[in-house]
Amino acid sequence: MVYGMTKKRLLQNNIMLLTEPVAGVKTAAIGFWFSIGSRREQPGEFGITHFTEHLLFKGTATKNTHDIACTFDRIGGYVNAFTEREDVCVYCIIPAQKAAVQSALRTLCDMAYGAVFPPDEFERERAVVQNEIAASADDPESSALDAVALAVWPGQDISRSITGTVRDVAALTREQVAAWYREYFVRGELTVAAAGGITEEELAAELELMPARVPPVCYPAARHYDGTSRWQPGTSFFPSRFRQMQVFELYPVAVPVSERDSYVMAVFNALVGDTMSSRLFESLREKHGCCYTVFSFFTFYEDAAVWCAYASCDKERLAELCALLSQEIRLLESDGITENEIEAAKEHLCGEELMSGEDMEYLMKRLQRNYSMGFPLRGTDEIIAAIRSVSREELAALARRLLAQKDRAFVVYGAHLPARTKKTVLAAQGVSQKKC
């Protein structure tokens, strides 16, 4: 494989086109990223963005649902979509043959500005979305993540459910959804990212046939939100019908995040909880055997970011797990981080980048991620070099800056806990309770 130059190009109709051609591969990935998500919704609109995303597949002026499916199925391709709090993405993975790329791209364009929402399809898909919401409510991790967002960003748009409730979706009208589609999908900000066996000119020629849109506003300037989301520290207990206890220790991250900081954060996260040799995995699971699942991650939004350490366990091991989790995180400050840990984390990340460089979907999403963060569109070799240059001093500075006790939020989600158990958990952390 031979990687071409990554490029950013603003088309005449204000679509932002990001490309990374890769010679010698037989696949291509194309993603349409609409700058609209659940955060923009107001009362009476909750769930409308996610519902609209589903309806993009339900027919256009020139294609019905079956035609759209066949466009991708008959070339052995794959098409999907997802809605987040700030974006909707519709993407495909297809053979990198000119006819296949052209057919897939034209279909995505048609979905982006020509959806018609047939009444019968509208009602059928409403039922599908309501079933998806019900299924999500039966998923312990999904339900817990919603509770966490409510705990750390209470009463704010950033903590709103992406799908809305079954009742929210039942109240949405076809006229309302069509108006939302015209405003935010047809005329709103759109970024198209593509990687693999594609050419910039071929994509640009098709995309410029689409209607004009509002000009893009680049991160880190928050495009749609007033001020920074208000972080709520403290400890919260959320009772649920699930038996397993899920534990989250969270710290806010100052935004905007620089490109350099993003590499330091990646190394920090890898050595703390992103690998089988990480501190959290080796301590909580391998040494003490108090959990099956344990990991850590960063999440970034336009005006907020967070680092989270997560683990789940039986009710009987909860107090032990909470104490161990907090203890390991405190050790990052007091004992520091060893050179061996740092090198292992770097090599893990570099290996991931090398392997992911053969995955066109990953490259396409990396283009969008870097663009949305306001970073240069780096290639694999540049990213690996940046990861390897992260220093121990940078990691120590990040740990001191990130792990401030006054900013910590601790969330326990699971079976109902008696007051005595809650007190034990709180005592193990040395903090006071925020709410139940």
Side-chain angles (χ1 to χ4, degrees), residues 108-170:
L108 292 179
C109 289
D110 203 14
M111 294 163 66
Y113 71 86
V116 294
F117 309 144
D120 55 341
E121 293 284 4
F122 185 92
E123 292 305 325
R124 275 196 291 269
E125 201 61 24
R126 189 200 303 273
V128 170
V129 170
Q130 289 174 321
N131 273 283
E132 180 185 355
I133 293 169
S136 181
D138 284 335
D139 182 341
E141 287 193 19
S142 177
S143 298
L145 287 171
D146 282 346
V148 167
L150 288 170
V152 299
W153 294 298
Q156 300 171 61
D157 57 20
I158 195 172
S159 62
R160 187 175 300 140
S161 167
I162 292 172
T163 61
T165 65
V166 169
R167 181 174 296 180
D168 290 331
V169 173

Side-chain angles (χ1 to χ4, degrees), residues 103-420:
S103 175
L105 182 60
R106 287 178 177 176
T107 300
L108 292 179
C109 289
D110 203 14
M111 294 163 66
Y113 71 86
V116 294
F117 309 144
D120 55 341
E121 293 284 4
F122 185 92
E123 292 305 325
R124 275 196 291 269
E125 201 61 24
R126 189 200 303 273
V128 170
V129 170
Q130 289 174 321
N131 273 283
E132 180 185 355
I133 293 169
S136 181
D138 284 335
D139 182 341
E141 287 193 19
S142 177
S143 298
L145 287 171
D146 282 346
V148 167
L150 288 170
V152 299
W153 294 298
Q156 300 171 61
D157 57 20
I158 195 172
S159 62
R160 187 175 300 140
S161 167
I162 292 172
T163 61
T165 65
V166 169
R167 181 174 296 180
D168 290 331
V169 173
L172 296 172
T173 67
R174 180 169 174 265
E175 292 72 23
Q176 188 181 12
V177 174
W180 191 265
Y181 169 72
R182 289 192 299 271
E183 181 69 19
Y184 296 111
F185 288 79
V186 176
R187 295 193 289 263
E189 294 176 50
L190 172 61
T191 301
V192 175
I198 48 90
T199 66
E200 179 191 7
E201 292 304 324
E202 181 182 16
L203 296 175
E206 291 292 340
L207 293 171
E208 287 189 326
L209 297 176
M210 295 175 67
R213 294 169 173 273
V214 299
V217 179
C218 297
Y219 188 90
R223 294 175 292 189
H224 308 301
Y225 314 109
D226 296 327
T228 301
S229 296
R230 300 176 302 281
W231 177 264
Q232 180 65 57
T235 301
S236 305
F237 294 92
F238 285 87
S240 78
R241 58 191 174 83
F242 302 112
R243 295 180 59 187
Q244 194 80 352
M245 308 304 299
Q246 299 184 67
V247 178
F248 302 80
E249 185 161 346
L250 308 106
Y251 297 84
V253 177
V255 292
V257 174
S258 71
E259 182 190 15
R260 183 63 187 177
D261 279 346
S262 73
Y263 296 122
V264 179
M265 290 175 180
V267 176
F268 173 85
N269 189 62
L271 69 87
V272 176
D274 190 40
T275 67
M276 291 178 64
S277 59
S278 66
R279 287 195 175 195
L280 294 181
F281 193 95
E282 289 204 336
S283 174
L284 274 67
R285 175 168 165 162
E286 300 298 276
K287 182 178 180 180
H288 295 280
C290 62
C291 64
Y292 173 72
T293 302
V294 55
F295 57 86
S296 62
F297 59 91
F298 280 97
T299 296
F300 300 95
Y301 297 102
E302 286 191 4
D303 61 347
V306 61
W307 180 72
C308 176
Y310 167 85
S312 61
C313 66
D314 294 332
K315 189 174 179 179
E316 292 73 21
R317 305 293 296 271
L318 176 63
E320 178 189 7
L321 181 140
C322 290
L324 286 168
L325 181 62
S326 295
Q327 176 183 310
E328 287 298 327
I329 291 174
R330 297 276 67 78
L331 287 173
L332 290 166
E333 291 183 288
S334 60
D335 284 3
I337 300 167
T338 69
E339 290 291 353
N340 284 341
E341 287 179 297
I342 295 170
E343 288 307 308
K346 288 180 183 180
E347 291 310 308
H348 168 77
L349 292 171
C350 292
E352 279 191 331
E353 280 295 325
L354 283 171
M355 291 187 292
S356 297
E358 299 182 1
D359 180 348
M360 298 306 106
E361 179 180 349
Y362 172 82
L363 295 182
M364 178 270 290
K365 290 180 177 178
R366 186 177 71 185
L367 284 170
Q368 166 62 19
R369 182 184 70 241
N370 287 343
Y371 169 72
S372 69
M373 296 287 286
F375 301 160
L377 303 183
R378 306 287 188 193
T380 298
D381 291 343
E382 290 178 293
I383 291 171
I384 288 175
I387 290 169
R388 287 195 167 129
S389 71
V390 171
S391 70
R392 183 178 181 182
E393 291 71 26
E394 287 176 302
L395 290 163
L398 171 64
R400 289 192 300 270
R401 187 169 68 246
L402 177 66
L403 305 177
Q405 280 290 88
K406 65 181 178 61
D407 295 328
R408 181 178 75 161
F410 202 90
V411 179
V412 178
Y413 181 89
H416 175 75
L417 297 173
R420 179 179 297 178

